[in-house]
Every structure is written in C-alpha cells, then in structure tokens.
Amino acid sequence: MPTAGRLAGAVIFGLFGWYLAGISIPLFPESNAPTFWLPVVSAISLIIGWKICGARAGHGYNPAIGVGLTCSAAIAFCSVFAVSFNAMLSNALGNRYRNGTMEAVTDIFSKMIDFSIMFADVTLIASLLIGGVVCSWVTEFFGRRFP
C-alpha cells in the first residue's frame, strides 16, 4: 500500500542512486561506464527505497540507521550484480565460454569480486554508508509526519 514513507524512500533513494552512479563512473576502466549504468543503479535504488526503507518508515530514527545501512548494502550488491551480469552476457554472446552454462554462471560471481575490488574507493564507500543513513532519516521523517 502506498504511503508517504514509501514515496519518500523511493524518491530520495532514487536520487541517491543517481548520485552514487555518477561518482562511480571514474572508477571504471578509462572512465568508460556502461551506457545503462546511471538509469539501472537509479532504478535499483528506487526499488530498494520503496520496498525496504519505505516499508520500515515510522519506527524511529535509531532503527532507521540500520535500515539505511541495509539499503546501502543492498544497492551495492544489486548494482555490482547488474554490471557483472551484463559482462557475463557480453562474454556469452561472444562465445567466450567453452564449458557451458555453469561456467557463465560462476563467472558472474568472479566478475562481482573484480568489480567490488574496482569500486573499493574511500569516497564511494563513505558516500554509500553516510548517504544511506541520511536518506533513511529523511524517509523516517516523512513516514512519521504523514503515516
């Protein structure tokens, strides 16, 4: 059921995802991020803001810290999974996997490790953690004011 907390969570986390995608572009090789990067990370963040943070809005500012950190971790995991899945698809369509489907599926996880190491930047990690908490506090504010 739509509430102000869910709407606020979706909007604020969607904007936060756009910001995170923007500051992570220089971390790609030769600053060449995939064309889908900004909209996909923004959409992932919007959905996580609606489903996770917005659903838990209205329970207090202290629990909102944990919800914000959970949302940040979910955004990071899903974004790295999306870019790894895209890399696997481009490799699969280029016939680079000789041992079948299982090699392609396991390659997703090895690519996730590679992309996670590539995104290990202090600015990005600090923005992810601090921004997730601030976004959840804004969602909590709207969830309490307009139940």
Side-chain angles (χ1 to χ4, degrees):
M1 181 166 161
T3 61
R6 284 182 184 255
L7 179 63
V11 170
I12 195 75
F13 273 99
L15 292 172
F16 179 58
W18 189 269
Y19 167 74
L20 287 175
I23 66 170
S24 65
I25 287 175
L27 300 175
F28 281 94
E30 300 176 6
S31 296
N32 190 13
T35 56
F36 68 87
W37 183 245
L38 271 92
V40 165
V41 174
S42 184
I44 287 169
S45 302
L46 186 136
I47 293 168
I48 288 173
W50 178 273
K51 293 287 223 180
I52 297 175
C53 191
R56 290 166 178 81
H59 297 295
Y61 288 98
N62 286 336
I65 295 171
V67 172
L69 294 175
T70 301
C71 290
S72 293
I75 290 168
F77 179 81
C78 293
S79 300
V80 169
F81 181 81
V83 75
S84 300
F85 187 79
N86 180 57
M88 182 275 299
L89 279 179
S90 66
N91 286 342
L93 293 175
N95 291 328
R96 292 193 183 102
Y97 297 119
R98 299 288 176 220
N99 296 331
T101 308
M102 280 311 293
E103 183 183 3
V105 171
T106 57
D107 191 44
I108 292 175
F109 298 104
S110 66
K111 292 209 179 291
M112 284 180 73
I113 292 170
D114 295 339
F115 280 113
S116 297
I117 292 169
M118 187 175 67
F119 289 139
D121 182 50
V122 174
T123 306
L124 182 63
I125 294 169
S127 296
L128 190 66
L129 296 176
I130 295 168
V133 172
V134 170
C135 289
S136 67
W137 280 344
V138 171
T139 304
E140 178 65 26
F141 173 79
F142 284 103
R144 281 189 161 209
R145 296 286 184 256
F146 309 104

